[in-house]
PDB file of all heavy atoms in Angstrom:
ATOM      1  N   LEU Y  41      34.677 107.457  73.709  1.00 91.00           N
ATOM      2  CA  LEU Y  41      34.424 106.680  74.971  1.00 91.00           C
ATOM      3  C   LEU Y  41      35.151 107.370  76.162  1.00 91.00           C
ATOM      4  O   LEU Y  41      34.484 107.500  77.239  1.00 91.00           O
ATOM      5  CB  LEU Y  41      34.960 105.227  74.677  1.00 91.00           C
ATOM      6  CG  LEU Y  41      34.738 104.291  75.889  1.00 91.00           C
ATOM      7  CD1 LEU Y  41      33.280 104.049  76.107  1.00 91.00           C
ATOM      8  CD2 LEU Y  41      35.557 103.019  75.693  1.00 91.00           C
ATOM      9  N   LEU Y  42      36.445 107.738  75.894  1.00 90.00           N
ATOM     10  CA  LEU Y  42      37.159 108.355  77.044  1.00 90.00           C
ATOM     11  C   LEU Y  42      36.723 109.749  77.359  1.00 90.00           C
ATOM     12  O   LEU Y  42      37.208 110.334  78.384  1.00 90.00           O
ATOM     13  CB  LEU Y  42      38.617 108.320  76.740  1.00 90.00           C
ATOM     14  CG  LEU Y  42      39.234 106.874  76.783  1.00 90.00           C
ATOM     15  CD1 LEU Y  42      40.717 106.896  76.338  1.00 90.00           C
ATOM     16  CD2 LEU Y  42      39.188 106.198  78.107  1.00 90.00           C
ATOM     17  N   ALA Y  43      35.978 110.354  76.473  1.00 92.00           N
ATOM     18  CA  ALA Y  43      35.461 111.744  76.739  1.00 92.00           C
ATOM     19  C   ALA Y  43      34.391 111.719  77.847  1.00 92.00           C
ATOM     20  O   ALA Y  43      34.109 112.715  78.500  1.00 92.00           O
ATOM     21  CB  ALA Y  43      34.883 112.329  75.496  1.00 92.00           C
ATOM     22  N   ARG Y  44      33.814 110.517  78.148  1.00 94.00           N
ATOM     23  CA  ARG Y  44      32.788 110.551  79.271  1.00 94.00           C
ATOM     24  C   ARG Y  44      33.586 110.659  80.625  1.00 94.00           C
ATOM     25  O   ARG Y  44      34.500 109.955  80.915  1.00 94.00           O
ATOM     26  CB  ARG Y  44      32.015 109.133  79.288  1.00 94.00           C
ATOM     27  CG  ARG Y  44      31.228 108.915  77.985  1.00 94.00           C
ATOM     28  CD  ARG Y  44      30.595 107.613  78.089  1.00 94.00           C
ATOM     29  NE  ARG Y  44      30.139 107.154  76.768  1.00 94.00           N
ATOM     30  CZ  ARG Y  44      29.695 105.939  76.475  1.00 94.00           C
ATOM     31  NH1 ARG Y  44      29.738 105.046  77.386  1.00 94.00           N
ATOM     32  NH2 ARG Y  44      29.272 105.708  75.307  1.00 94.00           N
ATOM     33  N   PRO Y  45      33.046 111.484  81.455  1.00 94.00           N
ATOM     34  CA  PRO Y  45      33.749 111.828  82.753  1.00 94.00           C
ATOM     35  C   PRO Y  45      33.963 110.512  83.617  1.00 94.00           C
ATOM     36  O   PRO Y  45      34.980 110.334  84.246  1.00 94.00           O
ATOM     37  CB  PRO Y  45      32.828 112.825  83.450  1.00 94.00           C
ATOM     38  CG  PRO Y  45      32.082 113.396  82.391  1.00 94.00           C
ATOM     39  CD  PRO Y  45      31.909 112.341  81.301  1.00 94.00           C
ATOM     40  N   LYS Y  46      32.901 109.674  83.773  1.00 95.00           N
ATOM     41  CA  LYS Y  46      33.005 108.537  84.630  1.00 95.00           C
ATOM     42  C   LYS Y  46      34.089 107.573  84.075  1.00 95.00           C
ATOM     43  O   LYS Y  46      34.924 107.036  84.845  1.00 95.00           O
ATOM     44  CB  LYS Y  46      31.665 107.850  84.687  1.00 95.00           C
ATOM     45  CG  LYS Y  46      31.572 106.670  85.650  1.00 95.00           C
ATOM     46  CD  LYS Y  46      30.136 106.159  85.705  1.00 95.00           C
ATOM     47  CE  LYS Y  46      30.054 104.994  86.785  1.00 95.00           C
ATOM     48  NZ  LYS Y  46      28.769 104.451  86.719  1.00 95.00           N
ATOM     49  N   ILE Y  47      34.105 107.250  82.795  1.00 94.00           N
ATOM     50  CA  ILE Y  47      35.078 106.378  82.241  1.00 94.00           C
ATOM     51  C   ILE Y  47      36.467 106.942  82.217  1.00 94.00           C
ATOM     52  O   ILE Y  47      37.411 106.270  82.550  1.00 94.00           O
ATOM     53  CB  ILE Y  47      34.644 105.965  80.847  1.00 94.00           C
ATOM     54  CG1 ILE Y  47      33.355 105.188  80.833  1.00 94.00           C
ATOM     55  CG2 ILE Y  47      35.756 105.217  80.019  1.00 94.00           C
ATOM     56  CD1 ILE Y  47      32.781 104.826  79.496  1.00 94.00           C
ATOM     57  N   ARG Y  48      36.536 108.251  81.956  1.00 94.00           N
ATOM     58  CA  ARG Y  48      37.833 108.981  82.053  1.00 94.00           C
ATOM     59  C   ARG Y  48      38.437 108.848  83.490  1.00 94.00           C
ATOM     60  O   ARG Y  48      39.610 108.589  83.603  1.00 94.00           O
ATOM     61  CB  ARG Y  48      37.661 110.453  81.640  1.00 94.00           C
ATOM     62  CG  ARG Y  48      38.978 111.163  81.627  1.00 94.00           C
ATOM     63  CD  ARG Y  48      38.788 112.619  81.181  1.00 94.00           C
ATOM     64  NE  ARG Y  48      40.035 113.203  80.872  1.00 94.00           N
ATOM     65  CZ  ARG Y  48      40.566 113.588  79.736  1.00 94.00           C
ATOM     66  NH1 ARG Y  48      39.914 113.352  78.692  1.00 94.00           N
ATOM     67  NH2 ARG Y  48      41.724 114.145  79.658  1.00 94.00           N
ATOM     68  N   ARG Y  49      37.621 108.994  84.451  1.00 95.00           N
ATOM     69  CA  ARG Y  49      38.075 108.980  85.897  1.00 95.00           C
ATOM     70  C   ARG Y  49      38.582 107.545  86.171  1.00 95.00           C
ATOM     71  O   ARG Y  49      39.665 107.414  86.739  1.00 95.00           O
ATOM     72  CB  ARG Y  49      36.998 109.398  86.842  1.00 95.00           C
ATOM     73  CG  ARG Y  49      37.438 109.263  88.229  1.00 95.00           C
ATOM     74  CD  ARG Y  49      38.344 110.306  88.665  1.00 95.00           C
ATOM     75  NE  ARG Y  49      38.673 110.177  90.097  1.00 95.00           N
ATOM     76  CZ  ARG Y  49      39.858 110.339  90.571  1.00 95.00           C
ATOM     77  NH1 ARG Y  49      40.844 110.728  89.794  1.00 95.00           N
ATOM     78  NH2 ARG Y  49      40.093 110.149  91.806  1.00 95.00           N
ATOM     79  N   ARG Y  50      37.953 106.572  85.744  1.00 95.00           N
ATOM     80  CA  ARG Y  50      38.293 105.141  85.952  1.00 95.00           C
ATOM     81  C   ARG Y  50      39.594 104.918  85.222  1.00 95.00           C
ATOM     82  O   ARG Y  50      40.465 104.219  85.810  1.00 95.00           O
ATOM     83  CB  ARG Y  50      37.202 104.216  85.582  1.00 95.00           C
ATOM     84  CG  ARG Y  50      35.975 104.021  86.446  1.00 95.00           C
ATOM     85  CD  ARG Y  50      35.105 103.013  85.967  1.00 95.00           C
ATOM     86  NE  ARG Y  50      33.846 103.045  86.801  1.00 95.00           N
ATOM     87  CZ  ARG Y  50      32.826 102.226  86.521  1.00 95.00           C
ATOM     88  NH1 ARG Y  50      32.813 101.545  85.455  1.00 95.00           N
ATOM     89  NH2 ARG Y  50      31.794 102.312  87.283  1.00 95.00           N
ATOM     90  N   TRP Y  51      39.673 105.390  84.048  1.00 93.00           N
ATOM     91  CA  TRP Y  51      40.852 105.178  83.177  1.00 93.00           C
ATOM     92  C   TRP Y  51      42.112 105.815  83.898  1.00 93.00           C
ATOM     93  O   TRP Y  51      43.184 105.199  83.973  1.00 93.00           O
ATOM     94  CB  TRP Y  51      40.775 105.744  81.817  1.00 93.00           C
ATOM     95  CG  TRP Y  51      41.886 105.568  80.911  1.00 93.00           C
ATOM     96  CD1 TRP Y  51      42.803 106.578  80.591  1.00 93.00           C
ATOM     97  CD2 TRP Y  51      42.287 104.385  80.353  1.00 93.00           C
ATOM     98  NE1 TRP Y  51      43.762 106.055  79.794  1.00 93.00           N
ATOM     99  CE2 TRP Y  51      43.495 104.722  79.512  1.00 93.00           C
ATOM    100  CE3 TRP Y  51      41.827 103.123  80.253  1.00 93.00           C
ATOM    101  CZ2 TRP Y  51      44.180 103.753  78.842  1.00 93.00           C
ATOM    102  CZ3 TRP Y  51      42.563 102.166  79.459  1.00 93.00           C
ATOM    103  CH2 TRP Y  51      43.727 102.465  78.831  1.00 93.00           C
ATOM    104  N   GLU Y  52      41.890 107.026  84.423  1.00 95.00           N
ATOM    105  CA  GLU Y  52      43.161 107.744  85.029  1.00 95.00           C
ATOM    106  C   GLU Y  52      43.426 106.989  86.421  1.00 95.00           C
ATOM    107  O   GLU Y  52      44.652 106.865  86.625  1.00 95.00           O
ATOM    108  CB  GLU Y  52      42.581 109.135  85.364  1.00 95.00           C
ATOM    109  CG  GLU Y  52      42.633 109.940  84.110  1.00 95.00           C
ATOM    110  CD  GLU Y  52      42.157 111.399  84.307  1.00 95.00           C
ATOM    111  OE1 GLU Y  52      41.781 111.707  85.552  1.00 95.00           O
ATOM    112  OE2 GLU Y  52      42.083 112.208  83.418  1.00 95.00           O
ATOM    113  N   VAL Y  53      42.487 106.465  87.140  1.00 96.00           N
ATOM    114  CA  VAL Y  53      42.776 105.745  88.380  1.00 96.00           C
ATOM    115  C   VAL Y  53      43.526 104.433  88.024  1.00 96.00           C
ATOM    116  O   VAL Y  53      44.499 104.131  88.573  1.00 96.00           O
ATOM    117  CB  VAL Y  53      41.521 105.518  89.262  1.00 96.00           C
ATOM    118  CG1 VAL Y  53      41.748 104.497  90.250  1.00 96.00           C
ATOM    119  CG2 VAL Y  53      40.985 106.735  89.745  1.00 96.00           C
ATOM    120  N   THR Y  54      43.026 103.727  87.083  1.00 97.00           N
ATOM    121  CA  THR Y  54      43.628 102.512  86.669  1.00 97.00           C
ATOM    122  C   THR Y  54      45.089 102.618  86.171  1.00 97.00           C
ATOM    123  O   THR Y  54      45.987 101.984  86.601  1.00 97.00           O
ATOM    124  CB  THR Y  54      42.800 101.782  85.563  1.00 97.00           C
ATOM    125  OG1 THR Y  54      41.445 101.627  86.071  1.00 97.00           O
ATOM    126  CG2 THR Y  54      43.361 100.541  85.180  1.00 97.00           C
ATOM    127  N   THR Y  55      45.231 103.569  85.205  1.00 97.00           N
ATOM    128  CA  THR Y  55      46.631 103.813  84.717  1.00 97.00           C
ATOM    129  C   THR Y  55      47.495 104.395  85.783  1.00 97.00           C
ATOM    130  O   THR Y  55      48.753 104.192  85.859  1.00 97.00           O
ATOM    131  CB  THR Y  55      46.580 104.714  83.451  1.00 97.00           C
ATOM    132  OG1 THR Y  55      45.938 105.928  83.792  1.00 97.00           O
ATOM    133  CG2 THR Y  55      45.879 104.035  82.341  1.00 97.00           C
ATOM    134  N   GLY Y  56      46.964 105.220  86.667  1.00 97.00           N
ATOM    135  CA  GLY Y  56      47.838 105.651  87.788  1.00 97.00           C
ATOM    136  C   GLY Y  56      48.275 104.507  88.672  1.00 97.00           C
ATOM    137  O   GLY Y  56      49.479 104.487  89.037  1.00 97.00           O
ATOM    138  N   TRP Y  57      47.419 103.577  88.991  1.00 98.00           N
ATOM    139  CA  TRP Y  57      47.820 102.434  89.847  1.00 98.00           C
ATOM    140  C   TRP Y  57      48.855 101.604  89.074  1.00 98.00           C
ATOM    141  O   TRP Y  57      49.759 101.076  89.652  1.00 98.00           O
ATOM    142  CB  TRP Y  57      46.623 101.608  90.261  1.00 98.00           C
ATOM    143  CG  TRP Y  57      45.983 102.145  91.415  1.00 98.00           C
ATOM    144  CD1 TRP Y  57      44.749 102.800  91.464  1.00 98.00           C
ATOM    145  CD2 TRP Y  57      46.515 102.289  92.827  1.00 98.00           C
ATOM    146  NE1 TRP Y  57      44.550 103.311  92.750  1.00 98.00           N
ATOM    147  CE2 TRP Y  57      45.513 102.910  93.572  1.00 98.00           C
ATOM    148  CE3 TRP Y  57      47.607 101.809  93.426  1.00 98.00           C
ATOM    149  CZ2 TRP Y  57      45.765 103.149  94.884  1.00 98.00           C
ATOM    150  CZ3 TRP Y  57      47.875 102.067  94.717  1.00 98.00           C
ATOM    151  CH2 TRP Y  57      46.991 102.677  95.477  1.00 98.00           C
ATOM    152  N   LEU Y  58      48.668 101.523  87.742  1.00 98.00           N
ATOM    153  CA  LEU Y  58      49.600 100.649  86.913  1.00 98.00           C
ATOM    154  C   LEU Y  58      50.993 101.314  86.903  1.00 98.00           C
ATOM    155  O   LEU Y  58      52.019 100.640  87.051  1.00 98.00           O
ATOM    156  CB  LEU Y  58      49.125 100.559  85.463  1.00 98.00           C
ATOM    157  CG  LEU Y  58      48.000  99.541  85.284  1.00 98.00           C
ATOM    158  CD1 LEU Y  58      47.466  99.643  83.868  1.00 98.00           C
ATOM    159  CD2 LEU Y  58      48.487  98.105  85.579  1.00 98.00           C
ATOM    160  N   LEU Y  59      50.924 102.617  86.813  1.00 98.00           N
ATOM    161  CA  LEU Y  59      52.306 103.395  86.819  1.00 98.00           C
ATOM    162  C   LEU Y  59      52.940 103.240  88.214  1.00 98.00           C
ATOM    163  O   LEU Y  59      54.187 103.080  88.341  1.00 98.00           O
ATOM    164  CB  LEU Y  59      52.115 104.824  86.447  1.00 98.00           C
ATOM    165  CG  LEU Y  59      51.877 105.052  84.949  1.00 98.00           C
ATOM    166  CD1 LEU Y  59      51.430 106.466  84.682  1.00 98.00           C
ATOM    167  CD2 LEU Y  59      52.990 104.605  84.113  1.00 98.00           C
ATOM    168  N   ILE Y  60      52.238 103.296  89.261  1.00 98.00           N
ATOM    169  CA  ILE Y  60      52.757 103.133  90.598  1.00 98.00           C
ATOM    170  C   ILE Y  60      53.296 101.697  90.756  1.00 98.00           C
ATOM    171  O   ILE Y  60      54.400 101.517  91.259  1.00 98.00           O
ATOM    172  CB  ILE Y  60      51.669 103.474  91.627  1.00 98.00           C
ATOM    173  CG1 ILE Y  60      51.265 104.888  91.713  1.00 98.00           C
ATOM    174  CG2 ILE Y  60      52.140 102.848  93.131  1.00 98.00           C
ATOM    175  CD1 ILE Y  60      50.136 105.254  92.584  1.00 98.00           C
ATOM    176  N   GLY Y  61      52.623 100.724  90.268  1.00 97.00           N
ATOM    177  CA  GLY Y  61      53.075  99.418  90.332  1.00 97.00           C
ATOM    178  C   GLY Y  61      54.361  99.183  89.511  1.00 97.00           C
ATOM    179  O   GLY Y  61      55.311  98.470  89.908  1.00 97.00           O
ATOM    180  N   ILE Y  62      54.441  99.755  88.374  1.00 97.00           N
ATOM    181  CA  ILE Y  62      55.642  99.643  87.512  1.00 97.00           C
ATOM    182  C   ILE Y  62      56.850 100.333  88.293  1.00 97.00           C
ATOM    183  O   ILE Y  62      57.922  99.773  88.307  1.00 97.00           O
ATOM    184  CB  ILE Y  62      55.424 100.302  86.185  1.00 97.00           C
ATOM    185  CG1 ILE Y  62      54.515  99.470  85.374  1.00 97.00           C
ATOM    186  CG2 ILE Y  62      56.812 100.457  85.427  1.00 97.00           C
ATOM    187  CD1 ILE Y  62      54.067 100.048  84.052  1.00 97.00           C
ATOM    188  N   GLY Y  63      56.505 101.499  88.917  1.00 97.00           N
ATOM    189  CA  GLY Y  63      57.575 102.138  89.628  1.00 97.00           C
ATOM    190  C   GLY Y  63      58.056 101.383  90.816  1.00 97.00           C
ATOM    191  O   GLY Y  63      59.312 101.274  91.114  1.00 97.00           O
ATOM    192  N   VAL Y  64      57.133 100.738  91.547  1.00 97.00           N
ATOM    193  CA  VAL Y  64      57.563  99.863  92.662  1.00 97.00           C
ATOM    194  C   VAL Y  64      58.276  98.689  92.232  1.00 97.00           C
ATOM    195  O   VAL Y  64      59.326  98.230  92.810  1.00 97.00           O
ATOM    196  CB  VAL Y  64      56.318  99.433  93.521  1.00 97.00           C
ATOM    197  CG1 VAL Y  64      56.614  98.341  94.479  1.00 97.00           C
ATOM    198  CG2 VAL Y  64      55.605 100.651  94.155  1.00 97.00           C
ATOM    199  N   GLY Y  65      57.946  98.081  91.071  1.00 96.00           N
ATOM    200  CA  GLY Y  65      58.597  96.967  90.479  1.00 96.00           C
ATOM    201  C   GLY Y  65      60.053  97.362  90.111  1.00 96.00           C
ATOM    202  O   GLY Y  65      61.003  96.619  90.313  1.00 96.00           O
ATOM    203  N   ILE Y  66      60.244  98.491  89.566  1.00 97.00           N
ATOM    204  CA  ILE Y  66      61.551  98.956  89.106  1.00 97.00           C
ATOM    205  C   ILE Y  66      62.402  99.234  90.293  1.00 97.00           C
ATOM    206  O   ILE Y  66      63.638  98.970  90.352  1.00 97.00           O
ATOM    207  CB  ILE Y  66      61.434 100.242  88.179  1.00 97.00           C
ATOM    208  CG1 ILE Y  66      60.905  99.800  86.834  1.00 97.00           C
ATOM    209  CG2 ILE Y  66      62.794 100.902  87.984  1.00 97.00           C
ATOM    210  CD1 ILE Y  66      60.618 100.999  85.894  1.00 97.00           C
ATOM    211  N   ALA Y  67      61.763  99.889  91.308  1.00 97.00           N
ATOM    212  CA  ALA Y  67      62.525 100.225  92.615  1.00 97.00           C
ATOM    213  C   ALA Y  67      62.984  98.932  93.296  1.00 97.00           C
ATOM    214  O   ALA Y  67      64.017  98.924  93.920  1.00 97.00           O
ATOM    215  CB  ALA Y  67      61.703 101.092  93.484  1.00 97.00           C
ATOM    216  N   ALA Y  68      62.218  97.965  93.237  1.00 95.00           N
ATOM    217  CA  ALA Y  68      62.479  96.627  93.911  1.00 95.00           C
ATOM    218  C   ALA Y  68      63.546  95.871  93.179  1.00 95.00           C
ATOM    219  O   ALA Y  68      64.185  94.908  93.731  1.00 95.00           O
ATOM    220  CB  ALA Y  68      61.234  95.797  94.136  1.00 95.00           C
ATOM    221  N   ALA Y  69      63.606  96.060  91.845  1.00 89.00           N
ATOM    222  CA  ALA Y  69      64.659  95.304  91.021  1.00 89.00           C
ATOM    223  C   ALA Y  69      66.085  95.613  91.289  1.00 89.00           C
ATOM    224  O   ALA Y  69      66.579  96.469  91.912  1.00 89.00           O
ATOM    225  CB  ALA Y  69      64.361  95.512  89.569  1.00 89.00           C
TER     226      ALA Y  69
END
């Protein structure tokens, strides 16, 4: 499923935003 380019791109964008959110949450704590 993740080998499909469209789904892989969405997965990378979603996990990237999640990691940014976690980083902001840790920085704010």
Side-chain angles (χ1 to χ4, degrees):
L41 180 69
L42 290 175
R44 298 180 193 168
K46 186 176 181 181
I47 293 177
R48 184 180 185 108
R49 177 72 180 139
R50 284 185 186 171
W51 180 257
E52 288 176 356
V53 168
T54 303
T55 55
W57 279 109
L58 285 172
L59 289 172
I60 290 171
I62 291 171
V64 168
I66 290 174

